[in-house]
């Protein structure tokens, strides 16, 4: 407790603004070279250009669909900003995108286009597909292509509602703990589950129209892990790829849809653990794409060309889970020791379970055999049933303990890895680059981690700007970023175990974001 307080105090005093608060009027990067196609802009007019590039990698996965990096370059007066979306799991740390990617792309864009590094935002959709090795060069290339194609645009904002494709993956259990829905381990028994966390059905949409009224780009923000996969298990951009394709195929030629992953840390695609039919991201993506298309029809674009970008590097408290790890090791030992010998093995257990489910009254034999027994004054079959039922229960108890161990050991391994990383780093804080930006009436906050949905909902609710949208997975990767409440469950689920942040991070982050939003 005392340690947590001192951490909080330390983190509070060292929060600093590393990037100056850049506003459109104060920024003066080297303007990019105007090409013959770039029409002259009126004062205050926002210019935008888009491009996409294939970044599909050749990994061990079977071929699937195309993974893209997409760029939206914005310019107003001398101020520029770049939004890049990549179909990748994260910007560094995990997956094929290396830790030097962000710095490399930013340096390339400063050198070639004169765009200040802090004005480049890169969001990973968090799909689990494999991207090409030269994704950094391809990203620089796609931004340059977008910058060459800038035209005057009008902006419009809208919100759609999509609740058919996602669910919260944290299950609330009878014992007050939480477990999460993963393929990495078994779920708790159904009768242990009493509820689940919330979702955010809001789809945030920015529409950019050209002077002729045709749509140039759609930026859409939605919170859900893109991990459904393809029926054949191929490399895929997941539902995000299908949603964007649905949108693009129904807009004017060349229009691009750019997906920005929201606070999807604890949000899964619906039926993620279905074992009865192949898991398929396509229908989910189509539903989301249609929701965006429907919403686009009601968005009216105006000349609001405001372009503002605030950047802050927040110093946040790092978790120290040494004691929690020791507790979990004890729990692990207790569970292993609780396994009891049973007369059954898998071969005898399975048919018995079927028999005792099929006919609970006369499971061991025909009904008349029980009658014969009774008529002769015996109850041997009933005694056999009693013994079998006890043996089935003991065997199931062992299985449930084993399932609990699969969860505990998987999460314990995550905790140990992050504890080790903390010791290696030799610091009790973590730096997180946070952006708050505005394009016309589109307001967004970004964070590098896998932010869980309640934090996104909190920021949206507290923001003075309606609507405000929130993105995780942006400009770096800080693992899962759950609420302080969720962090009371350390070791129980991925979001609280695959995490480097101490609980106090949430309030520090939300408070700082509120200040940033008030200045936007
Ligand atoms: Zn994730």
């Amino acid at each position: 407790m005392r340690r947590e307080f001192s951490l909080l105090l330390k983190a509070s005093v060292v929060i600093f603004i590393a990037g100056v608060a850049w506003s459109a009027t104060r920024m003066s990067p080297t303007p990019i070279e105007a090409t013959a196609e770039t029409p002259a802009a009126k004062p205050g007019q926002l210019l935008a250009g888009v491009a996409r590039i294939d970044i599909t990698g050749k990994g061990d996965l079977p071929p699937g669909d195309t993974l893209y990096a997409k760029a939206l370059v914005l310019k107003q007066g001398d101020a520029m900003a770049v939004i890049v979306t990549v179909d990748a799991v994260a910007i560094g740390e995990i997956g094929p995108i290396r830790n030097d990617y962000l710095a490399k792309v930013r340096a390339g864009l400063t050198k070639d286009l004169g765009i200040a590094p802090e004005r480049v935002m890169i969001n990973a959709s968090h799909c689990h597909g494999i991207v090409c090795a030269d994704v950094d060069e391809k990203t620089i290339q796609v931004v340059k292509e977008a910058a060459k194609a800038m035209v005057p645009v009008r902006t419009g904002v809208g919100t759609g509602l999509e609740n058919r494709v996602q669910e919260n993956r944290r299950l609330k259990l009878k014992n007050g703990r939480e477990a999460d829905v993963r393929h990495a381990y078994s779920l708790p028994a159904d009768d242990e589950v009493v509820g689940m966390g919330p979702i955010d059905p809001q789809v945030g949409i920015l529409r950019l129209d050209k002077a002729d009224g045709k749509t140039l780009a759609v930026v859409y923000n939605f919170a859900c892990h893109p991990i459904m996969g393809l029926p054949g298990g191929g490399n895929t951009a997941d539902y995000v790829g299908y949603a964007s394709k649905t949108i693009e195929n129904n807009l004017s030629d060349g229009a691009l849809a750019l997906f920005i992953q929201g606070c999807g840390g604890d949000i899964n695609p619906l039926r993620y653990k279905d074992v009865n039919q192949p898991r398929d991201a396509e229908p989910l993506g189509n539903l989301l794409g249609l929701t965006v298309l429907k919403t686009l029809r009601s968005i009216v674009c105006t000349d609001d060309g405001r372009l503002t970008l605030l950047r802050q590097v927040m110093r946040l408290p790092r978790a120290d889970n040494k004691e929690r790890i020791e507790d979990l090791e004890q729990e692990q030992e207790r569970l292993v020791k609780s396994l009891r010998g049973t007369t059954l093995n898998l071969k005898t257990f399975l048919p018995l379970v079927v028999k005792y489910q099929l006919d609970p009254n006369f499971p061991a034999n025909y009904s008349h055999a029980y009658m014969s027994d009774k008529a002769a004054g015996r109850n041997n079959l009933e005694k056999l049933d009693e013994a079998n039922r006890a043996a089935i229960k003991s065997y199931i108890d062992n299985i449930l303990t084993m399932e609990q161990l699969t969860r505990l050991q998987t999460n314990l391994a995550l905790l140990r890895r992050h504890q080790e990383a903390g010791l290696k780093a030799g610091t009790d804080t973590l730096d997180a680059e946070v952006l708050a930006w505005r394009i016309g009436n589109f307001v967004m906050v970004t964070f590098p981690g896998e932010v869980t949905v309640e934090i996104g909902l909190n920021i949206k609710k507290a923001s003075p700007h309606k609507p405000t949208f929130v993105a995780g997975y942006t400009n770096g990767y800080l693992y899962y970023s759950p609420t302080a409440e969720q962090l009371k469950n350390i070791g129980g689920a991925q979001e609280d175990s695959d995490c480097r942040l101490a609980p106090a991070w949430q309030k520090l982050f939300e408070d700082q974001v509120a200040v940033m939003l008030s200045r936007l």
Side-chain angles (χ1 to χ4, degrees), residues 89 94 126 128 169 225 227 264-265 450 473 477 480 494 498:
V89 68
I94 56 168
H126 198 51
H128 285 30
R169 73 188 199 187
H225 265 67
I227 51 174
E450 301 201 35
Y473 310 85
Y477 183 72
Y480 282 84
Q494 182 175 21
D498 195 1

Side-chain angles (χ1 to χ4, degrees), residues 88-99 126-131 477 479:
V89 68
I91 308 300
E93 288 291 321
I94 56 168
I97 291 189
R98 289 185 296 266
N99 284 352
H126 198 51
C127 75
H128 285 30
I130 304 298
V131 302
Y477 183 72
Y479 297 86

